[in-house]
Amino acid sequence: MSETVPFAALSPPLSRTRVAVGDTRTLDLVVQDVRDLVGAGVAVDASLIAAAVRGWSANTRRAFRSDLVLWGRWCRTARVRAVDAGEETVAGWVRALAGIDASAEKVRAAATIARYLVHVGWAYRMAGLDDPTAAPLVRFEMKAARKTLGTRQRQARALRFKGDIADLDSPASGVCLAHLLRACRRDLLGLRDEALLRVAYDSGCRRSELVAIMVDAIEGPDGEGAGTLFIPESKTDREREGAVAYLSPATMRAIARWRDAGHIDTGALFRRVETHFDGSVRTVGQGPLHPNSITLIYKRLIRTAFDRKLLGEMSEAELQRWLKAVSSHSIRVGVAQDNFAAGESLPAIMQAYRWRDPKTVMRYGAKLAAKSGASARMAARLSASATGES
């Protein structure tokens, strides 16, 4: 192992030619984060860190750095140097995060706590130290945390195309993509929003994939008006093989209207639309949207649809529940549910929308299955019999 900070000091076998251009700054930061955690007197395994930075996605890198900050804060609270922290300190953190012990820590989901432990453990191993998160005490505390918290992950509320309906030929109902499209303004901001919604639904893109779409990644329209989107990399495509998503004629027309009005010939497709104080459009930005803006756009459109009475009889309380539950992942969840409702098979859905874990897709379809499954049919039949209906 060699003590190596900053990255420029790495030995020739680990020169910048071995790391992607966009990763060199991140590598310096990750090295420094590990060093800040364990102290200047501990040698850092730069080879391991460089390999991690190359292999991790951008989201994992950000999560790793953020999780180390949280662990460092806990160590200061416990009045223990991170380099000296042992299994008891980690176990106390787990209990606090799970709400088992009273503390100022915000209670986290079991999956989030598990992620924290993975990243903190890697930091100690990168510094050549014993990993305190791997101790039996910590494993048992994590088991207790899962029992306390449950392992069911909070799911973003689905944004389906026509809403929560059983028959896809039924009229649109409630909060749904069809109503959000109607809520889009008739200016540059609205054109951007419509194109974004349609691309998100057709492709099932995650937020990181949406903001990374470049103009030259879209091909078409073909003779029928449809097109394709090339997605060069994604959360589940670590080898960067890329994938191709279908874009409907309506989506291709929406993209064309947005590009023509915004004079977008090259570069990022979805950009910030800057407005004046009165809400009128001032200009279109040059760089891509920030991933965090996707959720904000969805929430703004839901609020607009509510104000324009497009959502039917909905109370302010129900609107607030929607705004709290919706996220950038909501359309992706809605796409899965609509596909299940249309009778598409699990393998077909996974292939089309780039899922690797069937359990994730099945979790998205669980609510829909409950409403259309045997128990729902039996309950409806008995209810009809009890009221004398045929």
Side-chain angles (χ1 to χ4, degrees):
M1 300 178 185
S2 60
E3 185 171 334
T4 315
V5 145
F7 179 64
L10 291 176
S11 56
L14 288 173
S15 67
R16 290 180 184 267
T17 60
R18 295 283 300 280
V19 180
V21 174
D23 293 343
T24 55
R25 171 63 176 164
T26 302
L27 180 53
D28 285 344
L29 293 173
V30 172
V31 169
Q32 192 59 51
D33 286 343
V34 175
R35 177 171 300 287
D36 289 344
L37 184 72
V38 301
V42 178
V44 173
D45 188 345
S47 300
L48 182 58
I49 299 178
V53 169
R54 292 195 305 271
W56 285 341
S57 67
N59 286 341
T60 301
R61 296 169 196 163
R62 284 192 293 269
F64 177 81
R65 301 190 63 215
S66 173
D67 296 350
L68 293 196
V69 171
L70 296 176
W71 169 242
R73 187 179 68 190
W74 174 257
C75 289
R76 289 191 295 274
T77 300
R79 298 185 178 182
V80 175
R81 292 196 312 160
V83 70
D84 298 326
E87 60 188 70
E88 295 84 1
T89 306
V90 180
W93 192 37
V94 171
R95 291 194 300 272
L97 292 171
I100 297 172
D101 289 352
S103 77
E105 291 289 322
K106 177 182 176 182
V107 175
R108 264 74 165 190
T112 302
I113 300 173
R115 189 197 77 194
Y116 291 170
L117 297 185
V118 168
H119 289 164
V120 169
W122 270 118
Y124 281 90
R125 293 195 292 276
M126 287 171 173
L129 300 174
D130 290 337
D131 175 9
T133 70
L137 174 62
V138 176
R139 291 201 296 269
F140 280 117
E141 289 290 2
M142 194 62 224
K143 186 174 182 178
R146 290 190 179 97
K147 185 176 180 180
T148 300
L149 297 168
T151 57
R152 181 177 176 84
Q153 292 179 261
R154 178 180 175 271
Q155 179 178 301
R157 196 161 181 179
L159 268 173
R160 298 176 60 189
F161 196 90
K162 287 188 174 183
D164 192 12
I165 58 175
D167 182 359
L168 295 182
D169 293 325
S170 300
S173 173
V175 178
C176 62
L177 199 70
H179 288 158
L180 298 194
L181 289 170
R182 291 179 59 193
C184 292
R185 292 165 36 161
R186 296 295 178 260
D187 56 8
L188 272 168
L189 181 64
L191 293 175
R192 194 277 315 276
D193 290 347
E194 180 186 0
L196 177 68
L197 290 175
R198 290 189 179 278
V199 170
Y201 186 84
D202 282 1
S203 64
C205 276
R206 302 171 178 86
R207 65 176 190 172
S208 59
E209 298 164 355
L210 280 172
V211 300
I213 294 174
M214 307 299 283
V215 169
D216 59 9
I218 298 173
E219 291 190 6
D222 59 18
E224 298 180 350
T228 58
L229 166 66
F230 178 68
I231 304 170
E233 61 178 312
S234 66
K235 177 182 177 180
T236 56
D237 181 21
R238 300 295 177 82
E239 290 74 29
R240 302 184 70 175
E241 296 177 356
V244 178
Y246 170 82
L247 298 177
S248 69
T251 299
M252 292 298 292
R253 291 192 295 271
I255 292 172
R257 289 192 294 269
W258 158 238
R259 287 186 56 190
D260 289 345
H263 305 290
I264 300 172
D265 298 320
T266 60
L269 176 63
F270 296 122
R271 309 175 182 196
R272 181 179 180 183
V273 177
E274 299 179 6
T275 58
H276 294 288
F277 183 76
D278 62 0
S280 60
V281 173
R282 180 172 65 183
T283 185
V284 175
Q286 296 299 309
L289 285 171
H290 191 280
N292 291 346
S293 65
I294 302 300
T295 299
L296 299 178
I297 291 170
Y298 294 171
K299 291 186 176 184
R300 170 172 54 78
L301 290 173
I302 292 173
R303 166 59 78 174
T304 300
F306 175 82
D307 292 341
R308 292 179 56 185
K309 311 299 183 183
L310 297 174
L311 306 182
E313 296 296 327
M314 176 178 288
S315 66
E316 179 69 29
E318 174 60 15
L319 172 67
Q320 293 304 321
R321 285 192 289 270
W322 258 104
L323 294 177
K324 183 178 180 180
V326 77
S327 79
S328 59
H329 218 60
S330 289
I331 289 183
R332 186 167 168 83
V333 177
V335 167
Q337 293 189 357
D338 277 349
N339 272 267
F340 276 120
E344 294 292 341
S345 68
L346 177 61
I349 298 172
M350 293 178 63
Q351 190 278 330
Y353 301 104
R354 304 167 306 287
W355 271 297
R356 285 190 175 181
D357 185 0
K359 292 187 293 185
T360 300
V361 191
M362 293 303 295
R363 186 171 70 248
Y364 293 159
K367 181 179 178 182
L368 196 67
K371 290 186 174 183
S372 60
S375 61
R377 291 192 295 271
M378 180 60 71
R381 182 177 179 181
L382 293 177
S383 177
S385 298
T387 57
E389 298 177 6
S390 57

Short mmCIF file of all heavy atoms in Angstrom, two decimals, residues 18-19 30 72 76 93 108 177 185 244-245 262 305 309 323 366 370 380 383:
data_model
loop_
_atom_site.label_atom_id
_atom_site.label_comp_id
_atom_site.label_asym_id
_atom_site.label_seq_id
_atom_site.Cartn_x
_atom_site.Cartn_y
_atom_site.Cartn_z
N ARG A 18 -5.31 5.68 -16.93
CA ARG A 18 -6.05 4.49 -16.50
C ARG A 18 -7.44 4.83 -15.98
O ARG A 18 -8.22 3.97 -15.64
CB ARG A 18 -5.27 3.77 -15.41
CG ARG A 18 -3.93 3.20 -15.87
CD ARG A 18 -4.15 1.93 -16.66
NE ARG A 18 -4.82 0.91 -15.87
CZ ARG A 18 -4.19 0.15 -14.99
NH1 ARG A 18 -2.88 0.28 -14.78
NH2 ARG A 18 -4.86 -0.77 -14.31
N VAL A 19 -7.72 6.15 -15.83
CA VAL A 19 -8.99 6.58 -15.28
C VAL A 19 -9.66 7.50 -16.28
O VAL A 19 -9.01 8.33 -16.90
CB VAL A 19 -8.78 7.34 -13.93
CG1 VAL A 19 -10.11 7.78 -13.36
CG2 VAL A 19 -8.03 6.47 -12.95
N VAL A 30 -12.46 11.29 -3.46
CA VAL A 30 -12.68 10.05 -2.70
C VAL A 30 -11.45 9.72 -1.87
O VAL A 30 -11.56 9.33 -0.70
CB VAL A 30 -13.04 8.88 -3.64
CG1 VAL A 30 -13.09 7.56 -2.88
CG2 VAL A 30 -14.39 9.13 -4.31
N GLY A 72 -18.77 9.92 9.85
CA GLY A 72 -17.85 10.79 10.57
C GLY A 72 -18.57 11.64 11.61
O GLY A 72 -18.07 11.86 12.72
N ARG A 76 -18.06 11.65 15.78
CA ARG A 76 -17.85 12.84 16.59
C ARG A 76 -18.88 12.91 17.71
O ARG A 76 -18.57 13.30 18.84
CB ARG A 76 -17.91 14.09 15.71
CG ARG A 76 -16.72 14.23 14.78
CD ARG A 76 -16.68 15.60 14.12
NE ARG A 76 -17.82 15.81 13.23
CZ ARG A 76 -17.86 15.42 11.97
NH1 ARG A 76 -16.82 14.79 11.44
NH2 ARG A 76 -18.92 15.67 11.22
N TRP A 93 -24.61 3.01 16.17
CA TRP A 93 -25.11 3.79 15.03
C TRP A 93 -26.31 3.08 14.39
O TRP A 93 -27.31 3.72 14.07
CB TRP A 93 -23.98 3.96 14.01
CG TRP A 93 -24.25 4.97 12.94
CD1 TRP A 93 -24.91 6.16 13.06
CD2 TRP A 93 -23.82 4.89 11.58
NE1 TRP A 93 -24.91 6.83 11.86
CE2 TRP A 93 -24.25 6.08 10.94
CE3 TRP A 93 -23.10 3.95 10.85
CZ2 TRP A 93 -23.99 6.33 9.59
CZ3 TRP A 93 -22.83 4.20 9.52
CH2 TRP A 93 -23.28 5.37 8.88
N ARG A 108 -33.86 5.67 9.47
CA ARG A 108 -33.72 5.31 8.06
C ARG A 108 -34.33 3.94 7.79
O ARG A 108 -34.56 3.15 8.70
CB ARG A 108 -32.24 5.26 7.67
CG ARG A 108 -31.69 6.51 7.02
CD ARG A 108 -31.49 7.63 7.99
NE ARG A 108 -30.65 8.68 7.41
CZ ARG A 108 -30.15 9.68 8.10
NH1 ARG A 108 -30.38 9.78 9.38
NH2 ARG A 108 -29.41 10.61 7.51
N LEU A 177 -50.57 10.62 -16.30
CA LEU A 177 -49.78 11.29 -17.32
C LEU A 177 -50.66 12.07 -18.28
O LEU A 177 -50.32 13.19 -18.70
CB LEU A 177 -48.94 10.26 -18.08
CG LEU A 177 -47.75 10.84 -18.86
CD1 LEU A 177 -46.68 11.31 -17.90
CD2 LEU A 177 -47.18 9.80 -19.81
N ARG A 185 -48.00 24.03 -20.05
CA ARG A 185 -48.21 25.36 -20.63
C ARG A 185 -48.03 25.32 -22.14
O ARG A 185 -47.56 24.33 -22.69
CB ARG A 185 -47.24 26.36 -19.99
CG ARG A 185 -47.55 26.61 -18.54
CD ARG A 185 -46.45 27.28 -17.74
NE ARG A 185 -45.65 28.27 -18.41
CZ ARG A 185 -44.91 29.20 -17.78
NH1 ARG A 185 -44.93 29.25 -16.44
NH2 ARG A 185 -44.18 30.07 -18.44
N VAL A 244 -31.55 0.42 -26.48
CA VAL A 244 -32.37 1.22 -27.38
C VAL A 244 -33.80 1.19 -26.90
O VAL A 244 -34.35 0.13 -26.60
CB VAL A 244 -32.28 0.69 -28.83
CG1 VAL A 244 -33.20 1.51 -29.75
CG2 VAL A 244 -30.84 0.76 -29.34
N ALA A 245 -34.43 2.36 -26.79
CA ALA A 245 -35.83 2.47 -26.34
C ALA A 245 -36.68 3.02 -27.48
O ALA A 245 -36.21 3.83 -28.30
CB ALA A 245 -35.93 3.38 -25.12
N GLY A 262 -36.98 25.84 -29.05
CA GLY A 262 -35.82 26.15 -28.23
C GLY A 262 -34.53 26.28 -28.99
O GLY A 262 -33.48 26.56 -28.40
N ALA A 305 -52.24 20.84 -12.52
CA ALA A 305 -53.41 20.07 -12.93
C ALA A 305 -54.52 20.17 -11.88
O ALA A 305 -55.71 20.26 -12.22
CB ALA A 305 -53.02 18.61 -13.15
N LYS A 309 -58.42 22.05 -12.17
CA LYS A 309 -59.55 21.13 -12.00
C LYS A 309 -59.51 19.96 -12.98
O LYS A 309 -60.55 19.46 -13.42
CB LYS A 309 -60.89 21.89 -12.19
CG LYS A 309 -61.01 23.18 -11.41
CD LYS A 309 -60.92 22.95 -9.89
CE LYS A 309 -61.12 24.26 -9.13
NZ LYS A 309 -60.96 24.09 -7.66
N LEU A 323 -48.23 14.80 -3.58
CA LEU A 323 -47.00 15.58 -3.72
C LEU A 323 -45.88 15.02 -2.85
O LEU A 323 -44.70 15.11 -3.19
CB LEU A 323 -47.26 17.05 -3.37
CG LEU A 323 -48.20 17.79 -4.32
CD1 LEU A 323 -48.43 19.22 -3.82
CD2 LEU A 323 -47.65 17.81 -5.74
N ALA A 366 -47.26 -5.27 -7.57
CA ALA A 366 -47.98 -5.96 -6.49
C ALA A 366 -49.33 -5.33 -6.21
O ALA A 366 -50.34 -6.01 -6.03
CB ALA A 366 -47.13 -5.95 -5.22
N ALA A 370 -52.99 -7.11 -6.66
CA ALA A 370 -53.94 -7.27 -5.56
C ALA A 370 -55.34 -6.85 -5.96
O ALA A 370 -56.34 -7.45 -5.54
CB ALA A 370 -53.47 -6.46 -4.35
N ALA A 380 -65.42 -9.10 -4.75
CA ALA A 380 -66.42 -8.40 -5.56
C ALA A 380 -67.65 -9.28 -5.79
O ALA A 380 -68.79 -8.81 -5.75
CB ALA A 380 -65.79 -7.99 -6.89
N SER A 383 -69.63 -9.53 -2.55
CA SER A 383 -70.27 -8.24 -2.27
C SER A 383 -71.50 -8.06 -3.12
O SER A 383 -72.56 -7.61 -2.66
CB SER A 383 -69.28 -7.11 -2.52
OG SER A 383 -69.91 -5.86 -2.33
#
